[in-house]
Amino acid sequence: MSLNLDLPTPPDFPAFPYNPPYDIQVQLMRHLYTSIEKKQVTIVESPTGTGKTLSLLCASLTWLRDQKDRAKKGKLQAVANDEAGAKDWVIEQTMERVRRELEADEREYEARLAEARKREDLLKKMARARVVKKMKREAQVAKQPNDEDDDQFLPESESQAENEEMNISPALRELMTKVDKAPRSGFGVGEAEPICTKIYYASRTHSQLTQILPELRRLKLGARIVSHHPSAKDAIPSARKRPIEDLDSEEEPTPFTRTVALGSRKQLCINDELRAKSRDLDEGCRELLGEKGDKRCHLLPSLDEEGKMLDFRDQILATPKDIEDLAAAGRMAQTCPYFGARRAIPQAELVMLPYNLLLQKTAREALGIDLTDQLVIIDEAHNLIPTILSLSTTRLPSATLATSFMQVCTYVSKFKNRLGPANLLHLKRLVVFLDALKKYVLEWKESRSAKTAQGKPAQTEKVEVLTATELLDRLGRKASGINLLEIERYLRTSKVARKIAGYSDKEAEKNSDSPRPRRGEIPPLHVVESFLVSLTGATEDGRVTLSLIGTPGSETVELKYQLLNPSPPFKDVVDVARAVVLAGGTMSPMSDVVNQLLSYLAPEKLTTFSCGHIIPAENLQTIVVRKGPRGGELEYKVNKQGDPNVVAELGQILLNFSGIVPAGMIVFFPSYSFLKSAKIVWQCSGLLDKFSARKKIFFEPAETTDVEKVLQEYAAAAHTLPQSDTDKLRGALLFAVIGAKLSEGLNFADDLARAVVIVGLPFANLGSAELKERMQYVKRLEETWPPAKKEPGQKDAAAELYENMCMNAVNQSIGRAIRHRGDWASLILLDRRYASSSVRAKLPKWIGDGIIISQGFGQTVKSLATFYRTKREAVQT
């Protein structure tokens, strides 16, 4: 009888820091644990304030710990099976030996990390005791360029390119190959690194990832759960003194989860000289790493200093660090944290990374990330679809195309006698392709400009959408017959784009009175290369858009590749990962996520979980306001947003609300243009002065840099109380835009948002050629593979997509109000369309269940007044 190593879902989670947890937290953690164990994809909706991040970490790390125990038991069981038929004492001795080896490896590893913690503490003390002086670097004497120096601009061989990309010299590559083939143990210089099952935890921004570590530190990961595993007594002879299941009873608290935060060079580069000079930090870093000797970045240890990098890797893993901590540790150790973090990935148990590093295959490969059988958690997953589409979009301005063509021609002319046959062949094919594409773009621009000048509609004449095949066909037989896959591979492996740009800049400096430093500027051919990558991978899921941009008379053309279907890039993740968790505070409508990303999954592989809020039902009031004070239906469609009468009535409605709502009140408009026109009308009518008499007014800033200042001033004003009996000024009123700077990721807890008002529905602009193409695509897809029979009145796939995009934006704005268990607020939906069942069904469950559809404006005012009076009385008592 073999040992059952399945992991049953635990009834509770001792690692959770608060006892007892809320019921919905336990339900969420049990759901996550089960989904991970069953290797499923799950969509989780857990409102802000319900401890979503803490629950995600607790459930996943509890499973990870149990998985480690299971792996040990599996090894012991394999030993027992191998010794089947042997005497009990032989099995016992063999088991003890294997057990001791496993325990010794763990103790050795923990001792190594403990030493790293000591070193880190010492470095911190030294840093506090004195000012860390920057290392002096001798100035390099610039050489006068000559023909021999031009050898540096020759294309690299494929092996050289691979070594450079991985920051490894050919000599080290050879050594690694030899070492890989040799038996070894441990994890020092030249020794194998232990690779473990890990959790990849992704979020949209670095600031969101920073919020993970405080939650991680709260977990009591030393706590053990009583064994979940069935007894192993029948699996292995009873003569053994320590059965496999005893592993669960051993107290081996893990003080730290081995954690690494991955970031960009922008966040992690500590070479201040490079940061000051580089126009693009990624490119500047790559150039510096390609230098020899003292010109190479001094913060990246050489082969002779490999031990320094390994020590820094251990320091990274010894205690959890966010991006800022990692950069600070790198400065203390005088070692590059960007490459140090990469070295820590194999041994990490928890890897925190932004969306782009997880979702782009090229980024994963560059970092050495292998998602096979790993757990992937994507937080703030309501951003997932637009992020995938954005990452898959590439742009090629006609000016960049022309510069690339000129540089390649100059380069081929100069080096044609020094290039090998293969290099010359690829470059000549590239010249042919770039020439054809440049000529076509120029012809397209001339024809479109002429039609626009003749008075044709600008929207239709300034944009054209093509498939990749249609674009290539228009380039002529000679260009369309070129194998772009080969060209793209050649550009990637030879690194010739950087060589060509370097030579072009050298020539430009020689011919200029004022040399222009180029350190860190993206080579134009790299932009072309990105566009070629899109074209080579293009299927019916992608489109190429040609657009005339700029002011009339000086317009230029931009080529843009746009992915219509976000599923294929994400499928690359789902297909190899053990389990995938898509989590967010508001994931509704979930059907949109399923239809766009996961429609190919079998039903048993996909689960969903949507929990209610932890706040009492009486703390949330959601009202749909169908009618205004004049009794007319409220509907803020685009064609009505410029109507002065409609805007004036809206102002009167909001003025009434401002007199009822205490403290802070936020009003979200569907667009900047609507907010701008309303502001002008209200200024002219004097309504803004009436607003100002009741609450201090703030508007969403035009510049991102002003957001923090506006928020601070708004927060201070929101807590303002009347200064006298005659003073009516109380609180603050913030006008914002759905989907803009203030609608997502900001915390408007307590008095900062006692009411959130949503004006209208933020439907996207149907005049957008890209949106039209995407809607046509999903409609064609639906017709090709028809779903189950539609219900009467059910919209087609295009209409569903359009409405879902709108409601997703609404849900994010609504979610700003309730941030913790004791919070309370009103959610006011101003538009009769919110009363429709299809729209209400796409609101989050915790909002939609208790919604009030007001039949008249008087009822609305009465309901609001009653709600706030009740809350005021509750506070007073």
Side-chain angles (χ1 to χ4, degrees), residues 421-451:
N423 280 307
L424 194 56
L425 179 63
H426 285 307
L427 287 172
K428 285 185 175 180
R429 287 174 176 171
L430 179 60
V431 168
V432 170
F433 178 80
L434 293 180
D435 186 34
L437 184 59
K438 183 175 71 73
K439 287 179 178 177
Y440 173 71
V441 167
L442 183 59
E443 292 170 1
W444 185 89
K445 175 188 175 182
E446 290 174 350
S447 65
R448 297 285 157 161
S449 299
K451 291 180 180 179

PDB file of all heavy atoms in Angstrom, residues 421-451:
ATOM      1  N   PRO A 421      29.591  36.342 -45.321  1.00  0.00           N
ATOM      2  CA  PRO A 421      28.481  36.183 -46.283  1.00  0.00           C
ATOM      3  C   PRO A 421      27.114  36.156 -45.611  1.00  0.00           C
ATOM      4  O   PRO A 421      26.159  36.751 -46.124  1.00  0.00           O
ATOM      5  CB  PRO A 421      28.809  34.851 -46.958  1.00  0.00           C
ATOM      6  CG  PRO A 421      30.285  34.669 -46.772  1.00  0.00           C
ATOM      7  CD  PRO A 421      30.616  35.294 -45.465  1.00  0.00           C
ATOM      8  N   ALA A 422      27.015  35.454 -44.487  1.00  0.00           N
ATOM      9  CA  ALA A 422      25.710  35.350 -43.818  1.00  0.00           C
ATOM     10  C   ALA A 422      25.264  36.711 -43.300  1.00  0.00           C
ATOM     11  O   ALA A 422      24.100  37.114 -43.474  1.00  0.00           O
ATOM     12  CB  ALA A 422      25.783  34.340 -42.675  1.00  0.00           C
ATOM     13  N   ASN A 423      26.186  37.437 -42.642  1.00  0.00           N
ATOM     14  CA  ASN A 423      25.843  38.765 -42.134  1.00  0.00           C
ATOM     15  C   ASN A 423      25.426  39.692 -43.270  1.00  0.00           C
ATOM     16  O   ASN A 423      24.424  40.411 -43.163  1.00  0.00           O
ATOM     17  CB  ASN A 423      27.058  39.376 -41.415  1.00  0.00           C
ATOM     18  CG  ASN A 423      27.236  38.839 -40.004  1.00  0.00           C
ATOM     19  OD1 ASN A 423      26.306  38.876 -39.210  1.00  0.00           O
ATOM     20  ND2 ASN A 423      28.416  38.328 -39.706  1.00  0.00           N
ATOM     21  N   LEU A 424      26.170  39.680 -44.350  1.00  0.00           N
ATOM     22  CA  LEU A 424      25.880  40.568 -45.468  1.00  0.00           C
ATOM     23  C   LEU A 424      24.531  40.235 -46.103  1.00  0.00           C
ATOM     24  O   LEU A 424      23.756  41.129 -46.451  1.00  0.00           O
ATOM     25  CB  LEU A 424      26.993  40.450 -46.517  1.00  0.00           C
ATOM     26  CG  LEU A 424      27.024  41.543 -47.603  1.00  0.00           C
ATOM     27  CD1 LEU A 424      27.121  42.928 -46.964  1.00  0.00           C
ATOM     28  CD2 LEU A 424      28.187  41.296 -48.557  1.00  0.00           C
ATOM     29  N   LEU A 425      24.231  38.935 -46.203  1.00  0.00           N
ATOM     30  CA  LEU A 425      22.958  38.514 -46.788  1.00  0.00           C
ATOM     31  C   LEU A 425      21.785  39.008 -45.944  1.00  0.00           C
ATOM     32  O   LEU A 425      20.806  39.566 -46.470  1.00  0.00           O
ATOM     33  CB  LEU A 425      22.930  36.992 -46.922  1.00  0.00           C
ATOM     34  CG  LEU A 425      21.638  36.395 -47.490  1.00  0.00           C
ATOM     35  CD1 LEU A 425      21.397  36.882 -48.914  1.00  0.00           C
ATOM     36  CD2 LEU A 425      21.703  34.867 -47.459  1.00  0.00           C
ATOM     37  N   HIS A 426      21.872  38.810 -44.637  1.00  0.00           N
ATOM     38  CA  HIS A 426      20.784  39.249 -43.752  1.00  0.00           C
ATOM     39  C   HIS A 426      20.607  40.760 -43.797  1.00  0.00           C
ATOM     40  O   HIS A 426      19.475  41.262 -43.842  1.00  0.00           O
ATOM     41  CB  HIS A 426      21.069  38.806 -42.310  1.00  0.00           C
ATOM     42  CG  HIS A 426      20.855  37.342 -42.060  1.00  0.00           C
ATOM     43  ND1 HIS A 426      19.687  36.688 -42.383  1.00  0.00           N
ATOM     44  CD2 HIS A 426      21.670  36.403 -41.497  1.00  0.00           C
ATOM     45  CE1 HIS A 426      19.781  35.415 -42.041  1.00  0.00           C
ATOM     46  NE2 HIS A 426      20.982  35.209 -41.507  1.00  0.00           N
ATOM     47  N   LEU A 427      21.713  41.484 -43.797  1.00  0.00           N
ATOM     48  CA  LEU A 427      21.616  42.938 -43.789  1.00  0.00           C
ATOM     49  C   LEU A 427      21.061  43.481 -45.108  1.00  0.00           C
ATOM     50  O   LEU A 427      20.293  44.447 -45.121  1.00  0.00           O
ATOM     51  CB  LEU A 427      22.994  43.551 -43.506  1.00  0.00           C
ATOM     52  CG  LEU A 427      23.489  43.410 -42.058  1.00  0.00           C
ATOM     53  CD1 LEU A 427      24.931  43.869 -41.924  1.00  0.00           C
ATOM     54  CD2 LEU A 427      22.596  44.207 -41.112  1.00  0.00           C
ATOM     55  N   LYS A 428      21.428  42.854 -46.219  1.00  0.00           N
ATOM     56  CA  LYS A 428      20.874  43.293 -47.504  1.00  0.00           C
ATOM     57  C   LYS A 428      19.379  43.029 -47.567  1.00  0.00           C
ATOM     58  O   LYS A 428      18.618  43.839 -48.114  1.00  0.00           O
ATOM     59  CB  LYS A 428      21.599  42.574 -48.639  1.00  0.00           C
ATOM     60  CG  LYS A 428      23.006  43.123 -48.904  1.00  0.00           C
ATOM     61  CD  LYS A 428      23.649  42.465 -50.124  1.00  0.00           C
ATOM     62  CE  LYS A 428      24.984  43.113 -50.448  1.00  0.00           C
ATOM     63  NZ  LYS A 428      25.636  42.491 -51.635  1.00  0.00           N
ATOM     64  N   ARG A 429      18.949  41.908 -47.023  1.00  0.00           N
ATOM     65  CA  ARG A 429      17.510  41.634 -46.969  1.00  0.00           C
ATOM     66  C   ARG A 429      16.799  42.655 -46.078  1.00  0.00           C
ATOM     67  O   ARG A 429      15.684  43.098 -46.383  1.00  0.00           O
ATOM     68  CB  ARG A 429      17.272  40.222 -46.430  1.00  0.00           C
ATOM     69  CG  ARG A 429      17.628  39.130 -47.433  1.00  0.00           C
ATOM     70  CD  ARG A 429      17.507  37.759 -46.794  1.00  0.00           C
ATOM     71  NE  ARG A 429      17.759  36.692 -47.754  1.00  0.00           N
ATOM     72  CZ  ARG A 429      17.895  35.396 -47.435  1.00  0.00           C
ATOM     73  NH1 ARG A 429      17.811  35.036 -46.147  1.00  0.00           N
ATOM     74  NH2 ARG A 429      18.107  34.495 -48.370  1.00  0.00           N
ATOM     75  N   LEU A 430      17.443  43.026 -44.974  1.00  0.00           N
ATOM     76  CA  LEU A 430      16.862  44.037 -44.097  1.00  0.00           C
ATOM     77  C   LEU A 430      16.740  45.368 -44.833  1.00  0.00           C
ATOM     78  O   LEU A 430      15.731  46.071 -44.703  1.00  0.00           O
ATOM     79  CB  LEU A 430      17.735  44.201 -42.843  1.00  0.00           C
ATOM     80  CG  LEU A 430      17.288  45.247 -41.831  1.00  0.00           C
ATOM     81  CD1 LEU A 430      15.900  44.925 -41.288  1.00  0.00           C
ATOM     82  CD2 LEU A 430      18.292  45.342 -40.679  1.00  0.00           C
ATOM     83  N   VAL A 431      17.753  45.735 -45.625  1.00  0.00           N
ATOM     84  CA  VAL A 431      17.712  46.972 -46.401  1.00  0.00           C
ATOM     85  C   VAL A 431      16.534  46.957 -47.371  1.00  0.00           C
ATOM     86  O   VAL A 431      15.794  47.942 -47.504  1.00  0.00           O
ATOM     87  CB  VAL A 431      19.038  47.188 -47.159  1.00  0.00           C
ATOM     88  CG1 VAL A 431      18.890  48.308 -48.194  1.00  0.00           C
ATOM     89  CG2 VAL A 431      20.157  47.528 -46.182  1.00  0.00           C
ATOM     90  N   VAL A 432      16.341  45.826 -48.049  1.00  0.00           N
ATOM     91  CA  VAL A 432      15.235  45.703 -49.003  1.00  0.00           C
ATOM     92  C   VAL A 432      13.894  45.889 -48.297  1.00  0.00           C
ATOM     93  O   VAL A 432      13.011  46.610 -48.777  1.00  0.00           O
ATOM     94  CB  VAL A 432      15.279  44.335 -49.718  1.00  0.00           C
ATOM     95  CG1 VAL A 432      14.005  44.110 -50.530  1.00  0.00           C
ATOM     96  CG2 VAL A 432      16.505  44.241 -50.618  1.00  0.00           C
ATOM     97  N   PHE A 433      13.745  45.241 -47.148  1.00  0.00           N
ATOM     98  CA  PHE A 433      12.477  45.330 -46.420  1.00  0.00           C
ATOM     99  C   PHE A 433      12.232  46.751 -45.918  1.00  0.00           C
ATOM    100  O   PHE A 433      11.124  47.298 -46.078  1.00  0.00           O
ATOM    101  CB  PHE A 433      12.468  44.349 -45.247  1.00  0.00           C
ATOM    102  CG  PHE A 433      11.214  44.417 -44.433  1.00  0.00           C
ATOM    103  CD1 PHE A 433      10.057  43.784 -44.864  1.00  0.00           C
ATOM    104  CD2 PHE A 433      11.171  45.132 -43.242  1.00  0.00           C
ATOM    105  CE1 PHE A 433       8.887  43.866 -44.125  1.00  0.00           C
ATOM    106  CE2 PHE A 433      10.009  45.211 -42.498  1.00  0.00           C
ATOM    107  CZ  PHE A 433       8.869  44.573 -42.940  1.00  0.00           C
ATOM    108  N   LEU A 434      13.242  47.366 -45.289  1.00  0.00           N
ATOM    109  CA  LEU A 434      13.075  48.724 -44.764  1.00  0.00           C
ATOM    110  C   LEU A 434      12.799  49.720 -45.882  1.00  0.00           C
ATOM    111  O   LEU A 434      11.987  50.647 -45.718  1.00  0.00           O
ATOM    112  CB  LEU A 434      14.323  49.143 -43.991  1.00  0.00           C
ATOM    113  CG  LEU A 434      14.617  48.392 -42.686  1.00  0.00           C
ATOM    114  CD1 LEU A 434      15.894  48.923 -42.044  1.00  0.00           C
ATOM    115  CD2 LEU A 434      13.452  48.506 -41.721  1.00  0.00           C
ATOM    116  N   ASP A 435      13.433  49.548 -47.024  1.00  0.00           N
ATOM    117  CA  ASP A 435      13.218  50.439 -48.161  1.00  0.00           C
ATOM    118  C   ASP A 435      11.779  50.344 -48.650  1.00  0.00           C
ATOM    119  O   ASP A 435      11.113  51.358 -48.891  1.00  0.00           O
ATOM    120  CB  ASP A 435      14.197  50.076 -49.289  1.00  0.00           C
ATOM    121  CG  ASP A 435      14.113  51.055 -50.448  1.00  0.00           C
ATOM    122  OD1 ASP A 435      13.861  52.255 -50.208  1.00  0.00           O
ATOM    123  OD2 ASP A 435      14.274  50.615 -51.607  1.00  0.00           O
ATOM    124  N   ALA A 436      11.288  49.107 -48.774  1.00  0.00           N
ATOM    125  CA  ALA A 436       9.907  48.909 -49.238  1.00  0.00           C
ATOM    126  C   ALA A 436       8.907  49.474 -48.241  1.00  0.00           C
ATOM    127  O   ALA A 436       7.923  50.123 -48.626  1.00  0.00           O
ATOM    128  CB  ALA A 436       9.657  47.418 -49.460  1.00  0.00           C
ATOM    129  N   LEU A 437       9.146  49.248 -46.934  1.00  0.00           N
ATOM    130  CA  LEU A 437       8.220  49.747 -45.912  1.00  0.00           C
ATOM    131  C   LEU A 437       8.239  51.273 -45.871  1.00  0.00           C
ATOM    132  O   LEU A 437       7.186  51.920 -45.773  1.00  0.00           O
ATOM    133  CB  LEU A 437       8.611  49.168 -44.547  1.00  0.00           C
ATOM    134  CG  LEU A 437       7.679  49.519 -43.367  1.00  0.00           C
ATOM    135  CD1 LEU A 437       6.261  49.038 -43.640  1.00  0.00           C
ATOM    136  CD2 LEU A 437       8.213  48.892 -42.072  1.00  0.00           C
ATOM    137  N   LYS A 438       9.420  51.870 -46.003  1.00  0.00           N
ATOM    138  CA  LYS A 438       9.529  53.324 -45.990  1.00  0.00           C
ATOM    139  C   LYS A 438       8.802  53.946 -47.183  1.00  0.00           C
ATOM    140  O   LYS A 438       8.093  54.938 -47.040  1.00  0.00           O
ATOM    141  CB  LYS A 438      11.014  53.725 -45.999  1.00  0.00           C
ATOM    142  CG  LYS A 438      11.275  55.219 -45.911  1.00  0.00           C
ATOM    143  CD  LYS A 438      12.755  55.526 -45.811  1.00  0.00           C
ATOM    144  CE  LYS A 438      13.481  55.256 -47.102  1.00  0.00           C
ATOM    145  NZ  LYS A 438      13.195  56.268 -48.155  1.00  0.00           N
ATOM    146  N   LYS A 439       8.982  53.344 -48.351  1.00  0.00           N
ATOM    147  CA  LYS A 439       8.318  53.872 -49.551  1.00  0.00           C
ATOM    148  C   LYS A 439       6.805  53.747 -49.441  1.00  0.00           C
ATOM    149  O   LYS A 439       6.066  54.665 -49.825  1.00  0.00           O
ATOM    150  CB  LYS A 439       8.821  53.123 -50.787  1.00  0.00           C
ATOM    151  CG  LYS A 439      10.244  53.488 -51.188  1.00  0.00           C
ATOM    152  CD  LYS A 439      10.689  52.696 -52.406  1.00  0.00           C
ATOM    153  CE  LYS A 439      12.102  53.090 -52.832  1.00  0.00           C
ATOM    154  NZ  LYS A 439      12.578  52.263 -53.976  1.00  0.00           N
ATOM    155  N   TYR A 440       6.344  52.605 -48.925  1.00  0.00           N
ATOM    156  CA  TYR A 440       4.893  52.438 -48.804  1.00  0.00           C
ATOM    157  C   TYR A 440       4.308  53.455 -47.823  1.00  0.00           C
ATOM    158  O   TYR A 440       3.243  54.039 -48.075  1.00  0.00           O
ATOM    159  CB  TYR A 440       4.544  51.022 -48.346  1.00  0.00           C
ATOM    160  CG  TYR A 440       3.070  50.876 -48.040  1.00  0.00           C
ATOM    161  CD1 TYR A 440       2.139  50.884 -49.078  1.00  0.00           C
ATOM    162  CD2 TYR A 440       2.604  50.810 -46.727  1.00  0.00           C
ATOM    163  CE1 TYR A 440       0.775  50.810 -48.815  1.00  0.00           C
ATOM    164  CE2 TYR A 440       1.260  50.734 -46.455  1.00  0.00           C
ATOM    165  CZ  TYR A 440       0.344  50.741 -47.503  1.00  0.00           C
ATOM    166  OH  TYR A 440      -0.995  50.671 -47.241  1.00  0.00           O
ATOM    167  N   VAL A 441       4.983  53.668 -46.698  1.00  0.00           N
ATOM    168  CA  VAL A 441       4.497  54.630 -45.706  1.00  0.00           C
ATOM    169  C   VAL A 441       4.416  56.024 -46.315  1.00  0.00           C
ATOM    170  O   VAL A 441       3.454  56.768 -46.086  1.00  0.00           O
ATOM    171  CB  VAL A 441       5.409  54.622 -44.458  1.00  0.00           C
ATOM    172  CG1 VAL A 441       5.110  55.819 -43.554  1.00  0.00           C
ATOM    173  CG2 VAL A 441       5.241  53.326 -43.680  1.00  0.00           C
ATOM    174  N   LEU A 442       5.411  56.397 -47.118  1.00  0.00           N
ATOM    175  CA  LEU A 442       5.410  57.710 -47.760  1.00  0.00           C
ATOM    176  C   LEU A 442       4.256  57.824 -48.754  1.00  0.00           C
ATOM    177  O   LEU A 442       3.551  58.850 -48.789  1.00  0.00           O
ATOM    178  CB  LEU A 442       6.748  57.945 -48.469  1.00  0.00           C
ATOM    179  CG  LEU A 442       6.927  59.310 -49.140  1.00  0.00           C
ATOM    180  CD1 LEU A 442       6.798  60.432 -48.118  1.00  0.00           C
ATOM    181  CD2 LEU A 442       8.277  59.386 -49.858  1.00  0.00           C
ATOM    182  N   GLU A 443       4.034  56.767 -49.544  1.00  0.00           N
ATOM    183  CA  GLU A 443       2.917  56.777 -50.499  1.00  0.00           C
ATOM    184  C   GLU A 443       1.580  56.872 -49.766  1.00  0.00           C
ATOM    185  O   GLU A 443       0.672  57.598 -50.189  1.00  0.00           O
ATOM    186  CB  GLU A 443       2.965  55.509 -51.354  1.00  0.00           C
ATOM    187  CG  GLU A 443       4.160  55.450 -52.314  1.00  0.00           C
ATOM    188  CD  GLU A 443       4.295  54.079 -52.961  1.00  0.00           C
ATOM    189  OE1 GLU A 443       3.449  53.204 -52.658  1.00  0.00           O
ATOM    190  OE2 GLU A 443       5.251  53.874 -53.742  1.00  0.00           O
ATOM    191  N   TRP A 444       1.475  56.124 -48.675  1.00  0.00           N
ATOM    192  CA  TRP A 444       0.213  56.139 -47.911  1.00  0.00           C
ATOM    193  C   TRP A 444      -0.042  57.539 -47.346  1.00  0.00           C
ATOM    194  O   TRP A 444      -1.173  58.034 -47.391  1.00  0.00           O
ATOM    195  CB  TRP A 444       0.295  55.114 -46.772  1.00  0.00           C
ATOM    196  CG  TRP A 444      -0.982  54.954 -46.002  1.00  0.00           C
ATOM    197  CD1 TRP A 444      -2.001  54.091 -46.285  1.00  0.00           C
ATOM    198  CD2 TRP A 444      -1.385  55.683 -44.841  1.00  0.00           C
ATOM    199  NE1 TRP A 444      -3.019  54.239 -45.365  1.00  0.00           N
ATOM    200  CE2 TRP A 444      -2.659  55.211 -44.461  1.00  0.00           C
ATOM    201  CE3 TRP A 444      -0.793  56.687 -44.076  1.00  0.00           C
ATOM    202  CZ2 TRP A 444      -3.346  55.702 -43.355  1.00  0.00           C
ATOM    203  CZ3 TRP A 444      -1.485  57.198 -42.973  1.00  0.00           C
ATOM    204  CH2 TRP A 444      -2.740  56.699 -42.629  1.00  0.00           C
ATOM    205  N   LYS A 445       1.006  58.167 -46.842  1.00  0.00           N
ATOM    206  CA  LYS A 445       0.858  59.504 -46.272  1.00  0.00           C
ATOM    207  C   LYS A 445       0.404  60.493 -47.341  1.00  0.00           C
ATOM    208  O   LYS A 445      -0.508  61.299 -47.112  1.00  0.00           O
ATOM    209  CB  LYS A 445       2.192  59.953 -45.668  1.00  0.00           C
ATOM    210  CG  LYS A 445       2.167  61.395 -45.157  1.00  0.00           C
ATOM    211  CD  LYS A 445       3.554  61.849 -44.749  1.00  0.00           C
ATOM    212  CE  LYS A 445       3.534  63.328 -44.366  1.00  0.00           C
ATOM    213  NZ  LYS A 445       4.870  63.832 -44.008  1.00  0.00           N
ATOM    214  N   GLU A 446       1.011  60.435 -48.511  1.00  0.00           N
ATOM    215  CA  GLU A 446       0.666  61.381 -49.581  1.00  0.00           C
ATOM    216  C   GLU A 446      -0.772  61.198 -50.028  1.00  0.00           C
ATOM    217  O   GLU A 446      -1.499  62.169 -50.259  1.00  0.00           O
ATOM    218  CB  GLU A 446       1.631  61.202 -50.752  1.00  0.00           C
ATOM    219  CG  GLU A 446       3.051  61.669 -50.437  1.00  0.00           C
ATOM    220  CD  GLU A 446       4.029  61.349 -51.563  1.00  0.00           C
ATOM    221  OE1 GLU A 446       3.623  60.591 -52.483  1.00  0.00           O
ATOM    222  OE2 GLU A 446       5.173  61.846 -51.525  1.00  0.00           O
ATOM    223  N   SER A 447      -1.194  59.952 -50.159  1.00  0.00           N
ATOM    224  CA  SER A 447      -2.569  59.707 -50.608  1.00  0.00           C
ATOM    225  C   SER A 447      -3.585  60.156 -49.566  1.00  0.00           C
ATOM    226  O   SER A 447      -4.625  60.729 -49.903  1.00  0.00           O
ATOM    227  CB  SER A 447      -2.770  58.218 -50.924  1.00  0.00           C
ATOM    228  OG  SER A 447      -2.629  57.432 -49.754  1.00  0.00           O
ATOM    229  N   ARG A 448      -3.295  59.910 -48.289  1.00  0.00           N
ATOM    230  CA  ARG A 448      -4.231  60.291 -47.225  1.00  0.00           C
ATOM    231  C   ARG A 448      -4.271  61.804 -47.047  1.00  0.00           C
ATOM    232  O   ARG A 448      -5.331  62.385 -46.815  1.00  0.00           O
ATOM    233  CB  ARG A 448      -3.825  59.616 -45.911  1.00  0.00           C
ATOM    234  CG  ARG A 448      -3.899  58.098 -45.959  1.00  0.00           C
ATOM    235  CD  ARG A 448      -5.338  57.627 -45.889  1.00  0.00           C
ATOM    236  NE  ARG A 448      -5.485  56.291 -46.468  1.00  0.00           N
ATOM    237  CZ  ARG A 448      -6.508  55.483 -46.244  1.00  0.00           C
ATOM    238  NH1 ARG A 448      -7.493  55.890 -45.470  1.00  0.00           N
ATOM    239  NH2 ARG A 448      -6.591  54.307 -46.822  1.00  0.00           N
ATOM    240  N   SER A 449      -3.112  62.431 -47.110  1.00  0.00           N
ATOM    241  CA  SER A 449      -3.072  63.888 -46.969  1.00  0.00           C
ATOM    242  C   SER A 449      -3.841  64.559 -48.094  1.00  0.00           C
ATOM    243  O   SER A 449      -4.542  65.551 -47.893  1.00  0.00           O
ATOM    244  CB  SER A 449      -1.618  64.380 -46.972  1.00  0.00           C
ATOM    245  OG  SER A 449      -0.894  63.824 -45.895  1.00  0.00           O
ATOM    246  N   ALA A 450      -3.738  64.006 -49.302  1.00  0.00           N
ATOM    247  CA  ALA A 450      -4.446  64.578 -50.449  1.00  0.00           C
ATOM    248  C   ALA A 450      -5.953  64.457 -50.267  1.00  0.00           C
ATOM    249  O   ALA A 450      -6.706  65.395 -50.536  1.00  0.00           O
ATOM    250  CB  ALA A 450      -4.010  63.863 -51.732  1.00  0.00           C
ATOM    251  N   LYS A 451      -6.418  63.289 -49.780  1.00  0.00           N
ATOM    252  CA  LYS A 451      -7.858  63.094 -49.573  1.00  0.00           C
ATOM    253  C   LYS A 451      -8.390  64.007 -48.476  1.00  0.00           C
ATOM    254  O   LYS A 451      -9.491  64.547 -48.581  1.00  0.00           O
ATOM    255  CB  LYS A 451      -8.141  61.636 -49.218  1.00  0.00           C
ATOM    256  CG  LYS A 451      -7.908  60.675 -50.376  1.00  0.00           C
ATOM    257  CD  LYS A 451      -8.210  59.245 -49.957  1.00  0.00           C
ATOM    258  CE  LYS A 451      -7.968  58.278 -51.121  1.00  0.00           C
ATOM    259  NZ  LYS A 451      -8.233  56.875 -50.732  1.00  0.00           N
TER     260      LYS A 451
END
